[in-house]
Amino acid sequence: MLIAALRKELLLQWRSRAQFMAVFVFGAAALLLFSFAVGPVAEMLRQFSAGFLWLGLLLSSTLTLAESFHAEMENRALEGLLLLPANPRALYYGKAIANWLQLILLGIALVPVMVVLYDAGTTRLGLLVVVIALGTAGLSAPGTLYAAMTAQVRSKQTLLPLLLFPLIVPALLASVKATSLIILGDPMNQISAWVILLVAFDAIYWSLCGLLFSRVVEE
Amino acid sequence: MKRNLFWLAIVLLAAAVYFGLLVTVADQYLGADLSLGLPIVARTLIAFLGGLAALVILIVVDDFSNLSRPKAIGLAGILFLLIGSYFGLFVAPPEQFMGETQRIMYVHVPTAWFALVAMTLALASAVVFLFGGDYDWDARMEASIEVGVVLAFLLCCQGAIWAKPTWGVWWDWDPRLTTTAVLLFAFLGILALRKFSEDPHKRAMWSAVATIIAYVDVPIVYFSVKWWNSLHQQQSNPNTVSKPFWIPLRANAFGILLLMTAFIMLRSRVAALRLKHELAPPPALSGSEIGETV
């Protein structure tokens, strides 16, 4: 069930890959703009690079997430999906995992932009990918659930960030801290604490949102 | 049954006020011992649990029909706040280290307690609604969220007013302050979600789900910000708060408790009435109207 739902989502995303490119360009443009806000001081930009990367990723993620129930809203497709003899939970996890994969890809794609613009190179790429994966998991689990709600109301573009941003404060905080420690060096070995926090956040929201999703879409 | 429960709540409240406030007032200003031999821990516990139990019972048994009860409770709350403010501003001595600035604590601390209580009530209403499907709880949830948002906003303002002369800045990234701000925005988002969704059933379901998700976030935000940065007063308890400071603190606590109960009762009444209006079938066209349209 989950596999079928996931396949459907990935197929949808592949067919609309132009949208992914647009979101990536948006994120890269955001990273470019952040540097104008600080000024051309290389040292300061390097200091803030992790924060900028995650803010860029967060802003672009709201675009991806807000669109993620777009197809289901046309021709009452969501009702059709719910009529299938399948658990709505599979639908949720399929969508959340697909969103997650897309956000990981987006995060990895934004890293070179960050490295070039802010001179924030690092050799610990494996760890950086792990942090990006854990951080975006924290965005996609509640984000997919909220997207299911906000896709059905007026002014969804405003409402999704309004609901999502306060919620993911811990994930954002931990991701920025961990990424910044990767880039600037980690003499006190604090990175594991932030990674554990991310894992805990992800575990809580991936299970809780899956439990509550059927209540969100039920008629 | 409901009538008896209402009076039980009033009795609990009276006991809480007696042991939490009157005993201390009599001890401080009349030199009389009204404690009935109860130790201080027991008295504090009765005041605390009695007040909370009364709040919960009053809100749960309220069936939105009686308007005089919330009005009376609210008036009593205002009275307590006036007494507390009088004691806090004119009677209690200034604090040793912080001087007059500390007086804002008499409203700040009770506001903090009841902001959390209101949010917890919202969570409880959300859970009861999700499992029971009774729309009265949806109304109570809406009311609790709104009262909680107002209290959290007041809390941030009071905190900023206190922080400027004490820490030299309006805002500081301390765990409790930051958590309150995050909570404020999270619940404001839920109120916006309620405003934007028209279907009453979906609105109730969604906001119940969002309330549970937002509430679960509170401890995570608290601990993550705590690791990130820390600087705040340690919490006080009856042993670290000197006696003259008790009276305004507790009078205000009872005042905010009663006022909050009244607001939640009145606000859930409004929510229930609106829902009734939304679910009512459209009025049937009378003969003359049909004639006019034809």
Side-chain angles (χ1 to χ4, degrees):
Chain A
M1 252 342 284
L2 178 63
I3 304 295
L6 184 58
R7 250 192 64 201
K8 170 195 134 246
E9 299 301 333
L10 291 177
L11 187 67
L12 265 175
Q13 287 189 355
W14 177 246
R15 296 267 164 85
S16 59
R17 51 194 180 277
Q19 206 233 328
F20 176 81
M21 275 315 293
V23 171
F24 166 71
V25 173
F26 171 82
L31 289 189
L32 189 66
L33 287 183
F34 287 144
S35 43
F36 292 129
V38 172
V41 187
E43 192 42 50
M44 236 153 71
L45 285 174
R46 204 173 121 80
Q47 203 82 42
F48 295 145
S49 56
F52 291 160
L53 172 75
W54 279 98
L55 275 183
L57 195 52
L58 180 64
L59 293 176
S60 351
S61 78
T62 58
L63 300 182
T64 314
L65 292 167
E67 282 301 309
S68 67
F69 275 85
H70 184 70
E72 273 78 3
M73 288 304 122
E74 284 174 3
N75 299 326
R76 311 179 76 177
L78 185 62
E79 282 172 40
L81 278 174
L82 292 172
L83 286 176
L84 292 175
N87 197 330
R89 212 166 285 164
L91 186 70
Y92 169 75
Y93 281 118
K95 212 171 256 301
I97 292 172
N99 279 335
W100 180 31
L101 294 176
Q102 197 178 356
L103 288 179
I104 293 178
L105 214 60
L106 185 66
I108 293 173
L110 284 176
V111 167
V113 182
M114 170 187 83
V115 172
V116 170
L117 285 180
Y118 309 141
D119 182 29
T122 175
T123 48
R124 303 167 80 182
L125 283 178
L127 196 56
L128 186 61
V129 171
V130 170
V131 170
I132 286 177
L134 289 173
T136 48
L139 300 183
S140 90
T144 309
L145 183 80
Y146 280 142
M149 300 179 190
T150 54
Q152 304 179 45
V153 299
R154 287 175 284 136
S155 57
K156 52 184 160 225
Q157 302 292 359
T158 328
L159 207 50
L160 179 66
L162 195 59
L163 285 166
L164 188 62
F165 285 179
L167 192 77
I168 48 88
V169 164
L172 181 71
L173 209 106
S175 312
V176 170
K177 264 289 181 194
T179 313
S180 156
L181 289 171
I182 290 174
I183 292 168
L184 302 173
D186 181 18
M188 312 282 282
N189 204 13
Q190 298 165 310
I191 218 165
S192 54
W194 294 108
V195 171
I196 290 169
L197 181 68
L198 273 179
V199 171
F201 184 89
D202 292 347
I204 290 171
Y205 279 103
W206 277 84
S207 44
L208 188 67
C209 294
L211 280 175
L212 292 172
F213 181 74
S214 57
R215 300 288 182 149
V216 171
V217 290
E218 80 180 12
E219 286 300 316
Chain B
M1 180 62 192
K2 283 197 163 171
R3 212 182 152 72
N4 293 341
L5 275 175
F6 175 76
W7 289 110
L8 172 71
I10 300 296
V11 169
L12 279 172
L13 207 56
V17 172
Y18 179 84
F19 284 110
L21 199 59
L22 285 183
V23 172
T24 317
V25 173
D27 182 44
Q28 279 287 307
Y29 298 103
L30 307 172
D33 182 20
L34 300 178
S35 67
L36 309 177
L38 282 177
I40 187 157
V41 182
R43 278 184 276 147
T44 311
L45 211 63
I46 291 175
F48 176 72
L49 293 179
L52 275 188
L55 167 97
V56 171
I57 294 174
L58 282 174
I59 288 170
V60 171
V61 301
D62 180 36
D63 54 4
F64 315 135
S65 58
N66 195 327
L67 247 182
S68 52
R69 277 179 193 172
K71 278 183 182 165
I73 293 171
L75 281 178
I78 292 172
L79 194 69
F80 271 106
L81 275 178
L82 286 176
I83 295 170
S85 305
Y86 174 74
F87 271 91
L89 289 172
F90 303 111
V91 180
E95 209 259 357
Q96 191 182 353
F97 298 109
M98 288 185 277
E100 306 291 345
T101 329
Q102 173 267 345
R103 292 185 194 276
I104 201 168
M105 284 299 133
Y106 299 133
V107 282
H108 186 61
V109 174
T111 309
W113 292 344
F114 291 108
L116 193 63
V117 170
M119 303 297 191
T120 310
L121 268 174
L123 173 79
S125 314
V127 172
V128 174
F129 175 78
L130 270 190
F131 287 99
D134 180 355
Y135 278 88
D136 282 359
W137 287 100
D138 179 52
R140 286 181 191 125
M141 175 173 64
E142 182 175 322
S144 315
I145 292 176
E146 213 167 287
V147 171
V149 161
V150 170
L151 287 176
F153 176 70
L154 287 176
L155 192 60
C156 288
C157 294
Q158 295 161 354
I161 293 170
W162 179 82
K164 188 65 186 169
T166 314
W167 291 336
V169 284
W170 292 110
W171 191 264
D172 184 81
W173 300 102
D174 140 85
R176 264 176 278 170
L177 193 58
T178 314
T179 309
T180 311
V182 170
L183 198 65
L184 174 64
F185 281 106
F187 280 80
L188 272 175
I190 299 172
L191 285 181
L193 177 71
R194 289 187 73 90
K195 267 276 174 294
F196 285 129
S197 38
E198 278 131 14
D199 179 350
H201 176 73
K202 281 182 177 166
R203 179 174 61 215
M205 279 293 174
W206 292 350
S207 43
V209 167
T211 304
I212 293 173
I213 289 184
Y215 195 88
V216 170
D217 207 31
V218 175
I220 314 178
V221 175
Y222 181 79
F223 284 108
S224 62
V225 180
K226 195 170 180 173
W227 284 356
W228 186 57
N229 184 10
S230 189
L231 167 84
H232 196 282
Q233 286 260 300
Q234 282 302 307
Q235 272 118 331
S236 309
N237 62 43
N239 298 323
T240 58
V241 177
S242 137
K243 272 197 176 173
F245 300 132
W246 277 15
I247 298 165
L249 188 67
R250 291 192 169 174
N252 278 337
F254 283 119
I256 294 179
L257 174 104
L258 291 169
L259 206 57
M260 181 180 110
T261 313
F263 280 151
I264 291 181
M265 285 163 85
L266 287 170
R267 186 60 183 79
S268 33
R269 194 182 137 87
V270 172
L273 282 174
R274 195 198 52 208
L275 186 74
K276 204 169 139 191
H277 177 72
E278 280 172 344
L279 292 180
L285 292 176
S286 63
S288 62
E289 281 176 64
I290 294 170
E292 278 163 24
T293 47
V294 172

